[in-house]
Amino acid sequence: METLSEIYNFAFEFGLERNSLIIALGGGIVGDITGLAAATWLRGIEYIQIPTTLLSMVDSSVGGKTAVNHPKGKNLIGAFHQPKAVFIDPETLQTLPKREFNAGMAEVIKYGVIKDKELFEFLENENNKNKLINLDNECLIKIINSSIKTKSHIVSKDEQEHGIRAILNYGHSFGHVIENLCGYGEFLHGEAISIGMKIAGEIALEKGLWSNEELIRQDNLLKSYSLPNKIPKINKKEIITILMGDKKVRDGKMRFVLPKGIGEVDIYDDIVDSLFLKYFS
Ligand SMILES: NC(=O)c1ccc[n+]([C@@H]2O[C@H](COP(=O)([O-])OP(=O)(O)OC[C@H]3O[C@@H](n4cnc5c(N)ncnc54)[C@H](O)[C@@H]3O)[C@@H](O)[C@H]2O)c1
Ligand SMILES: [Zn+2]
């Protein structure tokens, strides 16, 4: 909120008008806060996203969700505000720390599981894995393109998340629990999502939605980008509090995105607490 307030001060100082435009150059945090500043300054001015992390290229720069955190929860203060344009140059990834790159891969793998079997298989291929780890431009463009295609396709059908857009939250309910309760900073967003996908995958296996082999394929892919899958110890009462405070609750019911196979997910509101609490022992 303090940084947002500083942006408003600059906006005032520089005399930004209704037809002015703000450029968000940076990662997802810069994109989210700039988008919110643009959404609210003078009741909304235009902005452009120039994402410089893998996560912001494949996810946060596209779709128009803008937000800042509240001490009680992540992204509680925000608005839907579409950028005028998104410019992506994969060259910027050359300077991105490896850990940040891998965290972005968690979102790419997410697209594979929720909607894009072909992308998932592309990522499983050893040759492609090596190329991606070495930041091969052609491979990067391929996975960034596929990811954005899936995201923009889903968002264009349901911009304000009344239905299908929620599938983009695969791994995010438990991911947000982990980010919240382990303190922001312990896990990067993508790392928390990786553990969230692991938990969702386990629940799906137990419910007979997908096979053990599919769960192992997801595990292996996450592991090959050094993403964590070990579930941290967390107080169980706090887990429920965070889940109930999450934006994914509707009519008092928690809703979970679970995989039915590689490339297919669905939304379930019949998951009893005991089914997931046991993973947090
Ligand atoms: N709006 C959405 O739809 C949406 C979707 C997913 C995530 N998010 C949000 O995005 C945020 C995470 O974004 P992120 O992963 O980009 O993290 P980030 O913005 O914190 O950037 C990660 C780090 O990399 C540095 N950095 C950025 N670009 C660099 C480059 N090219 N070279 C070297 N260093 C560079 C940054 O200074 C920062 O230290 C989270 O707050 C998450 O909630 C939003
Ligand atoms: Zn995410």
Side-chain angles (χ1 to χ4, degrees):
M1 290 303 285
E2 266 172 42
T3 310
L4 186 61
S5 180
E6 273 177 50
I7 298 175
Y8 293 139
N9 292 343
F10 277 118
F12 185 80
E13 248 175 66
F14 286 97
L16 294 200
E17 301 170 355
R18 265 275 162 76
N19 63 354
S20 301
L21 172 138
I22 312 184
I23 296 171
L25 172 69
I29 297 203
V30 169
D32 278 12
I33 199 167
T34 307
L36 182 58
T40 45
W41 186 252
L42 303 181
R43 298 199 182 85
I45 63 172
E46 287 181 346
Y47 74 113
I48 284 177
Q49 292 271 20
I50 309 182
T52 59
T53 63
L54 182 61
L55 186 134
S56 55
M57 289 175 186
V58 299
D59 193 356
S60 60
S61 65
V62 177
K65 274 192 186 177
T66 74
V68 292
N69 296 337
H70 182 273
K72 293 283 178 204
K74 206 175 144 62
N75 293 341
L76 289 181
I77 306 153
F80 289 98
H81 191 49
Q82 296 295 342
K84 194 73 188 158
V86 182
F87 295 119
I88 296 177
D89 181 357
E91 282 279 317
T92 60
L93 299 177
Q94 299 290 339
T95 55
L96 189 70
K98 208 76 242 146
R99 187 176 167 201
E100 295 286 353
F101 179 83
N102 289 338
M105 282 306 299
E107 301 278 8
V108 178
I109 294 168
K110 176 193 83 179
Y111 292 118
V113 179
I114 65 173
K115 207 142 178 73
D116 194 344
K117 193 173 182 186
E118 190 253 315
L119 172 65
F120 193 95
E121 285 167 357
F122 180 89
L123 297 172
E124 281 183 315
N125 176 289
E126 286 304 321
N127 191 25
N128 294 334
K129 251 185 226 172
N130 282 334
K131 283 188 178 169
L132 280 170
I133 288 165
N134 291 306
L135 302 180
D136 173 86
N137 216 39
E138 207 177 303
C139 262
L140 284 172
I141 290 173
K142 149 84 193 164
I143 63 161
I144 294 167
N145 253 330
S146 299
S147 302
I148 293 176
K149 237 188 223 158
T150 299
K151 177 140 189 194
S152 53
H153 178 73
I154 294 169
V155 172
S156 64
K157 279 198 195 159
D158 174 24
E159 187 178 1
Q160 305 218 344
E161 201 168 313
H162 299 299
I164 178 113
R165 184 168 182 164
I167 70 168
L168 292 168
N169 297 327
Y170 176 52
H172 282 58
S173 297
F174 297 111
H176 284 173
V177 165
I178 291 162
E179 281 184 306
N180 244 288
L181 296 179
C182 298
Y184 297 112
E186 163 83 14
F187 291 103
L188 297 178
H189 176 73
E191 293 170 346
I193 287 351
S194 170
I195 302 172
M197 288 194 276
K198 166 74 176 163
I199 299 170
E202 290 284 355
I203 298 170
L205 176 64
E206 194 154 332
K207 274 182 71 78
L209 299 175
W210 75 348
S211 67
N212 194 37
E213 187 223 329
E214 287 166 306
L215 175 61
I216 291 171
R217 281 174 71 190
Q218 176 182 273
D219 279 353
N220 286 341
L221 199 49
L222 293 169
K223 240 185 261 165
S224 58
Y225 290 95
S226 311
L227 287 160
N229 65 4
K230 201 167 169 290
I231 301 157
K233 278 193 179 162
I234 300 180
N235 180 304
K236 294 187 179 179
K237 256 196 204 141
E238 287 185 301
I239 294 171
I240 303 290
T241 312
I242 300 282
L243 283 174
M244 290 305 290
D246 210 63
K247 296 178 294 309
K248 287 146 208 95
V249 171
R250 190 184 290 174
D251 302 329
K253 275 189 177 168
M254 288 191 261
R255 293 153 53 80
F256 296 102
V257 182
L258 301 177
K260 290 162 77 173
I262 304 284
E264 201 187 355
V265 288
D266 218 332
I267 301 170
Y268 297 83
D269 63 7
D270 60 345
I271 309 296
V272 292
D273 300 358
S274 57
L275 201 55
F276 56 81
L277 284 179
K278 64 180 174 199
Y279 297 112
F280 290 91
S281 59

